[in-house]
Amino acid sequence: MESTSHSETGHAEHATPIVYVRVYFFLIVMMFLTIAASKVPLGPFNNVVAMTIALAKATAVVLWFMQVRYGTRLTWVWASLGFIWLSLLFGIMGDYFTRAVLEASGWTR
């Protein structure tokens, strides 16, 4: 059986253990940042800060622990489509959750 190199097959190297350790410590720091941000009264920006931190943590998990960072272009397409689908679902839920508020305030026709 003939051996092929990674450059011939189009697959990149996988993450080294030190990369996993660094991502792990990044997630630990982000967890403490989440806890600290929850203690600070930021008014209407609490949700924005919390979602930004959550997005950073989710990106780290998807890129390194789920191996998307070292995947093929098709892997990137499917991972992107998952996030697009999630944003569409959140948009639809936002519409449903705000209908009662809009009806109570008289903004509906």
Side-chain angles (χ1 to χ4, degrees), residues 6-20:
H6 290 290
S7 61
E8 292 176 8
T9 61
H11 295 280
E13 294 289 326
H14 292 287
T16 60
I18 192 69
V19 171
Y20 288 119

Side-chain angles (χ1 to χ4, degrees), residues 8-84:
E8 292 176 8
T9 61
H11 295 280
E13 294 289 326
H14 292 287
T16 60
I18 192 69
V19 171
Y20 288 119
V21 171
R22 288 178 182 163
V23 173
Y24 173 74
F25 282 117
F26 170 76
L27 292 172
I28 294 296
V29 168
M30 294 303 281
M31 179 187 65
F32 285 119
L33 189 61
T34 302
I35 294 168
S38 71
K39 305 291 184 191
V40 177
L42 298 173
F45 295 109
N46 277 341
N47 289 338
V48 174
V49 170
M51 290 304 289
T52 302
I53 294 170
L55 183 65
K57 291 190 291 187
T59 301
V61 168
V62 168
L63 287 179
W64 284 282
F65 288 126
M66 294 176 65
Q67 297 286 328
V68 172
R69 170 76 173 91
Y70 303 102
T72 62
R73 289 184 188 174
L74 186 60
T75 304
W76 279 89
V77 167
W78 282 109
S80 301
L81 286 174
F83 279 109
I84 291 170

